[in-house]
Amino acid sequence: MKIGMTYDLKDDYVAEGWSDEDAAEFDSVETVEAIDASLKKLGHKTDRIGHFKSLVNRLARGDRWDLVFNIAEGIYGVGREAQVPAILDAYQIPYTFSDTVIMALTLQKALTKWVVQDLGVPTPDFVVVRKLLDITQVNLAYPLFAKPVAEGTGKGVTSKSKIADKKELTTACRELLERFKQPVLIERYLPGREFTVVVVGTGSNSQALGVMEIILKPVAEQNAYSYLNKENYKEVVEYEFPEDEVAEAAKKLAVQVHVGLNCRDSSRSDFRMDEHGNLQFMEINPIAGLHPVNSDMPIICNHYGIDFDTLIKIILDSAMERVVK
């Protein structure tokens, strides 16, 4: 099978002057090479296409692929993760991971929480601040938590994301609105244990592969699994792999969210416990990081005995169900 690969290479954007944080969601050369190598080990011929514009140019030249392994994050707009899937849909080329609708929905964390609530999955009460005047409409009990409504990889999340009063809320919203040029999601702060869960498969074949608990060391930036904590996880974060009742409950909720949203092939969902010990959904990533060493999904899979090549095969096998024979 001829498999194209779409991705946004972090080094390309840093070379153009992007900051490390601005380019944090993009992939490293190591990630692309690791996926490429795994696909070749599975007997496939690969073609590194690159980002959205490269895909458009290649399609205009008449290039086609049996399937595209898509990890492109996109650059601009709330629907940026849906751009490559939308183009591939137009050309009827199958691809890995979720479709256009889910990619656009899940990047907008507030819309996702509304849908997840309808699925019966608990998520903390929230409001969206689009301008500073909206703060007068925030009627949630403190402490609160603030983050950009459509970013990943902990971008915009710091120890200051936990908010004690209206003064801190105003400061946080002003900084996030100016920095990220998008609305701010305000939620009740969840003080309990934090988990991230890997789900693979599509529809009734979906299953949770493993759960990882994120424990911040005293030297870590406190209150959140922030961008800096993720970047320096080897020094400031401890990962545990619990197998208790809470972990099992997190796995069930993650599968419920993955299937309920119609996610495909794999996803990674984040949960935290509230002050009463109840699990609460925070967000889902339908195109989770695949760095073979540093990304949460491969770390979790490796702990449970699933090596990187096998993880790529699981994702690909799920996607190939959509390839017309």
Side-chain angles (χ1 to χ4, degrees):
M1 181 176 283
K2 182 179 179 182
I3 299 180
M5 297 175 62
T6 48
Y7 49 84
D8 285 288
L9 210 54
K10 181 177 180 178
D11 289 350
D12 290 344
Y13 297 103
V14 171
E16 293 178 5
W18 292 47
S19 70
D20 285 340
E21 183 177 2
D22 285 340
E25 292 187 87
F26 303 142
D27 288 293
S28 66
V29 174
E30 290 84 4
T31 298
V32 175
E33 289 179 342
I35 295 171
D36 194 342
S38 294
L39 294 174
K40 287 174 177 170
K41 288 178 187 175
L42 292 169
H44 302 293
K45 181 180 179 182
T46 61
D47 181 2
R48 298 187 191 184
I49 301 167
H51 52 42
F52 174 85
K53 292 181 180 178
S54 296
L55 174 63
V56 171
N57 290 334
R58 294 286 301 275
L59 288 168
R61 279 171 24 194
D63 293 343
R64 299 292 186 271
W65 308 271
D66 298 312
L67 180 141
V68 169
F69 200 103
N70 171 45
I71 56 170
E73 298 281 350
I75 303 174
Y76 301 115
V78 175
R80 58 188 181 273
E81 290 185 354
Q83 292 168 348
V84 165
I87 292 295
L88 293 172
D89 280 340
Y91 282 82
Q92 297 182 293
I93 297 173
Y95 52 90
T96 56
F97 304 117
S98 293
D99 64 22
T100 308
V101 172
I102 301 308
M103 289 297 191
L105 170 71
T106 53
L107 186 59
Q108 220 284 14
K109 303 180 194 308
L111 291 178
T112 306
K113 283 164 68 69
W114 273 314
V115 177
V116 167
Q117 278 182 330
D118 277 352
L119 294 174
V121 176
T123 188
D125 294 338
F126 65 99
V127 296
V128 176
V129 170
R130 293 179 171 79
K131 55 185 182 303
L132 278 179
L133 276 177
D134 292 345
I135 290 174
T136 60
Q137 306 300 317
V138 176
N139 190 28
L140 301 174
Y142 293 94
L144 300 176
F145 194 83
K147 60 184 177 184
V149 78
E151 296 293 345
T153 324
K155 290 170 65 176
V157 174
T158 70
S159 60
K160 296 180 181 178
S161 297
K162 182 182 176 183
I163 294 166
D165 53 35
K166 188 171 182 179
K167 182 180 179 182
E168 290 186 4
L169 177 63
T170 302
T171 301
C173 287
R174 179 183 292 110
E175 291 178 357
L176 290 173
L177 288 168
E178 290 178 357
R179 168 76 174 81
F180 291 95
K181 312 298 184 189
Q182 61 180 266
V184 180
L185 178 65
I186 307 296
E187 302 174 283
R188 286 194 300 110
Y189 178 74
L190 302 172
R193 299 166 66 189
E194 180 168 346
F195 306 90
T196 189
V197 186
V198 170
V199 176
V200 295
T202 303
S204 59
N205 292 323
S206 303
Q207 61 174 316
L209 287 188
V211 182
M212 184 167 77
E213 182 171 3
I214 291 95
I215 301 171
L216 302 181
K217 296 179 181 178
V219 295
E221 190 173 45
Q222 293 302 299
N223 305 325
Y225 192 28
S226 65
Y227 166 72
L228 285 179
N229 287 338
K230 291 182 179 185
E231 285 293 295
N232 303 294
Y233 77 93
K234 292 180 180 177
E235 293 79 29
V236 304
V237 179
E238 182 179 353
Y239 294 141
E240 297 286 347
F241 300 89
E243 297 182 356
D244 55 13
E245 292 182 357
V246 177
E248 288 303 311
K251 288 164 69 173
K252 288 181 180 178
L253 287 175
V255 172
Q256 185 177 347
V257 173
H258 178 93
V259 175
L261 292 177
N262 291 321
C263 290
R264 306 189 311 200
D265 305 338
S266 78
S267 67
R268 208 200 70 242
S269 289
D270 299 335
F271 299 87
R272 251 199 181 208
M273 299 179 79
D274 63 19
E275 63 273 26
H276 305 296
N278 300 314
L279 283 167
Q280 300 275 338
F281 169 83
M282 296 197 295
E283 58 187 67
I284 184 171
N285 190 339
I287 188 169
L290 282 173
H291 189 284
V293 176
N294 298 328
S295 293
D296 289 346
M297 181 177 285
I299 290 174
I300 293 170
C301 289
N302 187 57
H303 174 82
Y304 289 98
I306 301 167
D307 63 25
F308 189 77
D309 291 341
T310 303
L311 172 60
I312 297 302
K313 183 179 186 303
I314 291 171
I315 293 169
L316 190 63
D317 285 348
S318 176
M320 287 176 68
E321 293 293 322
R322 300 187 292 278
V323 177
V324 177
K325 304 294 192 295

